[in-house]
Amino acid sequence: MQTLESFLESTNANLFLKEFSFAQNNFSPQPDKSLELADHIVWIKDHIIIYQLKERIPDGPMSEETEIRWFQNKVLKKAKTQIRDTLNYLNSYTSIAIKNQRNHSFTISKDQVTQIAKIILYAVPYDPPREFRDTKHLESSTSGFIHIINIIDYIGICQNLITPAEIWEYFVFRETAIRKWPERTARIREQALVGQFLSGELDFWPEAHYESYLTSHANDIESFNVMPFLNGLHERLTPAQGATQGEFDYYKFLREFAQLNRADLRALKERLLWCIETCKSGDATKPSRIAVPRTNCGFVFIPVPAEHRNNPLPGLISITHAAKYEDRMTREVGTAISYNKPYLDMSHCFLEFPWAPDPDLEQALRESPILRTARVEVAPRYRFD
């Protein structure tokens, strides 16, 4: 029988990737002292989600009184205290070593985290009573706002929102709505809040009718699924000029994808597929790109002409530099694709440094424009039937 802890490990590993999911969170600040940071952590760039888990495993007769007592003691009190302890550890220790689900060790500290979501997930072997369902949060004088979510509702959140960026945005919206309308949000189901988030009507009074958006929105996952593209990424990443390849350099690349919502990913996948088909056709054409000002990162896809397919790297790096400059981004991801029938070869480049005027590069791009003219496009995030 799968435990709540192992279930969350597998769910978050698929959703947030194993690179950003941390289930081994014991650390030793002193040789003879062992502490646990949290039951589970998701850490992407400067965002962290802290999960504290409570699972009801009956060891005797159950009654309404015993179940309410369990909920009050384990969920409302003990889990709240454990989240407080986690925040205290982050404040007290300059670096805490934890392992992600790739078994890679990283150190985390308060300075690396600017935004924290705190979640208590609970599982009970019955339909939660009204008192459980109506309790959607805790307000702590030391820990601030803490989400309380039944695991079944959490599964629904993940199935409907899918991308890490949207799930994070949902928790931000959920906190805002509960703070603004505590009594109203207590009386409606989690599905109504998820539906309201999908609708985009984030400033409206929460209503039960928003549940209809869960059945009317087209969850066209394949249109924005880029997971196959990310497989084996660490083997294809090319160091920028003058840089050396680090074992975990590909994490920087993955973090950019983890911050994209489905509209961003849909536009990105369209350009990826275009690049592949262009390579197969043998047509010589300029690269295609997308810039996401919200994350300050651009992506450029380069179909490599047949005459350069044996040495695409110089063009990959120079075009990625050019795209980064024209997009005025801090970061740029470049992907070069060449076709050696029947195989497709991919190489990637990741650049990160502050944008600054470069008159020489501007002149070179005017004299030899290697990029298409950019246009502003605002695409709807969700599609409804």
Side-chain angles (χ1 to χ4, degrees):
M1 181 178 176
Q2 192 175 33
T3 64
L4 175 59
E5 185 175 345
S6 62
F7 178 79
L8 185 66
E9 284 181 26
S10 59
T11 299
N12 282 356
N14 290 325
L15 184 66
F16 295 103
L17 301 181
K18 290 183 178 180
E19 283 80 359
F20 306 126
S21 299
F22 294 78
Q24 302 177 49
N25 300 320
N26 290 321
F27 69 102
S28 299
Q30 300 169 9
D32 60 343
K33 188 175 185 180
S34 179
L35 301 172
E36 184 181 48
L37 188 61
D39 286 333
H40 193 95
I41 286 173
V42 167
W43 178 23
I44 301 177
K45 214 164 185 180
D46 57 352
H47 288 47
I48 185 173
I49 305 175
I50 297 170
Y51 296 85
Q52 207 62 47
L53 311 180
K54 293 300 169 190
E55 183 173 14
R56 175 61 166 144
I57 302 176
D59 55 1
M62 291 189 298
S63 65
E64 182 177 351
E65 182 181 352
T66 60
E67 297 315 290
I68 290 177
R69 189 184 307 121
W70 172 86
F71 186 78
Q72 292 173 340
N73 291 336
K74 298 296 184 179
V75 177
L76 302 186
K77 293 180 181 178
K78 187 169 184 179
K80 174 184 174 182
T81 299
Q82 290 169 319
I83 285 180
R84 181 202 64 196
D85 291 343
T86 292
L87 297 176
N88 286 339
Y89 297 153
L90 286 172
N91 286 324
S92 302
Y93 300 106
T94 55
S95 63
I96 298 172
I98 53 177
K99 283 187 177 182
N100 66 13
Q101 292 186 246
R102 289 282 182 208
N103 208 33
H104 295 160
S105 294
F106 292 89
T107 57
I108 185 171
S109 66
K110 181 184 177 183
D111 294 340
Q112 296 169 286
V113 177
T114 60
Q115 299 186 62
I116 302 177
K118 294 142 289 185
I119 301 173
I120 298 172
L121 286 183
Y122 70 91
V124 292
Y126 46 78
D127 185 34
R130 184 66 182 261
E131 181 172 334
F132 291 20
R133 296 197 307 269
D134 288 356
T135 307
K136 292 186 171 64
H137 83 292
L138 280 173
E139 194 74 52
S140 166
S141 59
T142 56
S143 305
F145 186 97
I146 303 172
H147 299 272
I148 298 179
I149 305 175
N150 179 268
I151 187 60
I152 302 301
D153 289 333
Y154 182 75
I155 294 170
I157 292 168
C158 296
Q159 289 175 337
N160 281 284
L161 303 183
I162 300 170
T163 70
E166 290 168 48
I167 291 174
W168 176 270
E169 289 176 14
Y170 174 71
F171 289 137
V172 173
F173 157 72
R174 189 181 189 274
E175 177 178 342
T176 301
I178 291 174
R179 284 184 183 276
K180 193 171 183 179
W181 298 290
E183 295 183 3
R184 184 69 187 178
T185 52
R187 292 196 299 270
I188 62 174
R189 301 200 305 167
E190 191 75 30
Q191 291 89 329
L193 285 173
V194 176
Q196 184 175 3
F197 179 79
L198 291 171
S199 76
E201 298 176 355
L202 307 187
D203 296 323
F204 284 62
W205 179 275
E207 295 277 4
H209 73 79
Y210 282 113
E211 289 189 33
S212 63
Y213 281 87
L214 299 184
T215 55
S216 64
H217 92 286
N219 223 342
D220 51 343
I221 297 175
E222 203 48 44
S223 71
F224 59 88
N225 178 24
V226 297
M227 288 302 294
F229 167 66
L230 298 178
N231 290 334
L233 172 68
H234 60 285
E235 299 172 355
R236 306 192 302 263
L237 191 60
T238 301
Q241 287 176 315
T244 57
Q245 180 77 358
E247 182 182 3
F248 299 138
D249 278 1
Y250 80 101
Y251 276 71
K252 298 176 183 178
F253 189 106
L254 283 181
R255 287 187 191 105
E256 299 307 325
F257 284 87
Q259 295 177 85
L260 302 180
N261 61 42
R262 70 185 67 192
D264 303 326
L265 290 170
R266 195 179 291 123
L268 187 147
K269 186 171 183 179
E270 288 173 0
R271 285 153 179 80
L272 169 65
L273 295 177
W274 165 86
C275 193
I276 291 172
E277 292 306 314
T278 300
C279 288
K280 288 181 176 180
S281 69
D283 295 338
T285 186
K286 294 178 179 180
S288 184
R289 57 190 161 127
I290 173 177
V292 185
R294 175 174 51 81
T295 66
N296 208 358
C297 184
F299 302 80
V300 59
F301 292 91
I302 307 158
V304 179
E307 61 269 26
H308 297 301
R309 66 189 181 192
N310 292 325
N311 187 27
L313 300 186
L316 165 62
I317 295 172
S318 61
I319 291 173
T320 304
H321 267 284
K324 179 183 181 302
Y325 187 79
E326 285 209 356
D327 293 338
R328 292 175 174 254
M329 297 286 110
T330 299
R331 296 174 300 281
E332 190 82 20
V333 174
T335 298
I337 302 178
S338 56
Y339 184 54
N340 296 301
K341 192 175 182 179
Y343 303 109
L344 284 166
D345 294 327
M346 290 188 186
S347 299
H348 307 288
C349 176
F350 179 79
L351 301 178
E352 182 175 20
F353 51 86
W355 186 92
D358 187 334
D360 293 338
L361 180 56
E362 284 188 26
Q363 182 176 350
L365 291 174
R366 280 196 300 269
E367 295 173 353
S368 300
I370 58 175
L371 299 169
R372 300 164 183 263
T373 302
R375 70 178 189 275
V376 176
E377 180 179 319
V378 180
R381 181 181 301 185
Y382 302 108
R383 296 170 175 173
F384 296 96
D385 296 333

